[in-house]
Amino acid sequence: MKKLYSALMTAFNDDGSINEAGTREMIRYNIDVNKVDGLYVGGSTGENFNMSHEQKEQVFKIAIDEAKNDVDLIAQVGSLDLNEAKYLAKFVTDLGYPHISAVTPFYYNYTFEQIKDYYNEIVKDVDNELIIYSIPALTGVSLSLDQFDELFENPKIIGIKYTNADFFLLERVRNRFPDKLILSGFDEMLLPALALGVDGAIGSTYNLNAKRAKAEMNAFDAGDIDKARQLQKDSNDLISALIANDIYPSIKLVFKELGVNAGVTKKPMAQPTPEMIAGAKKIYNDYLK
Ligand code: NAY
């Protein structure tokens, strides 16, 4: 069975502090209403790279406390500060997270040897399994087929969160590593990723659209490609509208329409404007009601 994970959002207050109650509401909504298979905690959608160290710890604690053993949990611990990444890997492992993930280190144009060392260091002292978080559009770091192969020499590195529109590479990766976990990261490209044999998907829009995405996965598995294409089209109408309205704040505003207090994004992310709020109401009415 393919798995669907929501990339968990963090509810913030206007002053940039974490709104714990709102974050818990989003977790519950994902588990109870969306019925996702898991949550990706501390990723891009969670605004991890906007957060202080204390806030990262706080979110990891809230998520596992609220989700308990109801769904699978993946904690993204990657950081430009390798010591922080190692600390968080141990922190979440001690909390009971069954998987960790780490973004490729970015900004300084690290060599592959340095990237490899980063991953091996993160997993060295923890009894946990790591999923590489590859998102070249945001990090500028593209790993090649052979480089994935080298990273997989470490048995604790078990898969890739593949947030990349390079389907040639995805096909190569899938076929070179049939036993590795490959989770697709671009929600608007779920269907082509399914066609190439991914094991599931992680995404921001599944916070709102998990049922449609699950139905698409089921249609694909049943061989009903026409239905899967129609569902992808319906999803992409929603995703296009969310992107045009600024995706992260808009998902939170649409959550509010669903009765979930998702707070706001943390500055310097955009704060809601009257136009954005009107846009989110329209998105809810047009695509989710
Ligand atoms: C993360 O860590 O939260 C993710 O990478 C989730 C994947 C999302 N990528 C980003 C950059 O937000 O769900 C996607 C993305 O929002 C969606 O496909 C719309 O482009």
Side-chain angles (χ1 to χ4, degrees), residues 40-43 60 73-79 85 89 92 99-104 118-119 122-123 128-134 159-161 202:
Y40 190 77
V41 185
F60 286 134
L73 293 174
I74 304 172
Q76 195 296 120
V77 300
S79 167
V92 297
H99 306 286
I100 56 177
S101 178
V103 72
T104 49
Y118 162 94
Y119 279 110
I122 290 174
V123 293
N128 211 333
E129 300 179 322
L130 182 137
I131 297 162
I132 298 161
Y133 180 11
S134 176
I160 310 168
K161 171 162 139 50
I202 300 172

Side-chain angles (χ1 to χ4, degrees), residues 8-12 42-52 55-56 248-249 252 262 264-271:
L8 182 66
M9 305 204 104
T10 309
F12 288 98
S44 310
T45 307
E47 296 174 65
N48 176 278
F49 306 106
N50 270 352
M51 283 190 208
S52 68
Q55 289 185 320
K56 292 178 191 178
Y248 297 155
K252 291 182 179 182
V264 293
T265 40
K266 186 179 177 189
K267 281 184 177 179
M269 293 257 183
Q271 303 301 295

Side-chain angles (χ1 to χ4, degrees), residues 7 40 43-45 133 135 138 161 185-188 203-204 247-248:
Y40 190 77
S44 310
T45 307
Y133 180 11
I135 179 161
L138 292 187
K161 171 162 139 50
F186 272 131
D187 317 5
E188 55 277 50
S204 63
I247 187 160
Y248 297 155

Side-chain angles (χ1 to χ4, degrees), residues 253 271-278:
L253 288 167
Q271 303 301 295
T273 60
E275 294 74 31
M276 211 189 268
I277 294 168

Side-chain angles (χ1 to χ4, degrees), residues 140-251:
V141 180
S142 296
L143 295 170
S144 69
L145 187 61
D146 288 339
Q147 289 172 339
F148 280 121
D149 209 356
E150 248 187 273
L151 294 176
F152 286 144
E153 281 169 12
N154 185 329
K156 286 179 167 176
I157 301 181
I158 59 151
I160 310 168
K161 171 162 139 50
Y162 189 89
T163 309
N164 188 346
D166 183 341
F167 288 101
F168 179 29
L169 180 62
L170 178 57
E171 181 282 324
R172 296 284 79 192
V173 164
R174 174 71 295 170
N175 284 295
R176 173 93 71 102
F177 314 113
D179 300 329
K180 295 293 178 186
L181 187 66
I182 302 181
L183 298 167
S184 169
F186 272 131
D187 317 5
E188 55 277 50
M189 300 174 216
L190 175 61
L191 186 54
L194 290 172
L196 291 175
V198 295
D199 300 297
I202 300 172
S204 63
T205 64
Y206 305 135
N207 282 281
L208 305 174
N209 195 42
K211 285 192 182 138
R212 212 178 260 137
K214 268 272 179 192
E216 180 178 329
M217 285 177 162
N218 291 338
F220 179 84
D221 283 343
D224 191 344
I225 301 303
D226 284 346
K227 183 171 176 191
R229 284 178 65 192
Q230 181 61 46
L231 287 163
Q232 184 73 64
K233 183 225 168 261
D234 294 345
S235 292
N236 286 0
D237 289 344
L238 166 68
I239 295 169
S240 298
L242 285 168
I243 291 172
N245 205 52
D246 200 338
I247 187 160
Y248 297 155
S250 295
I251 293 175

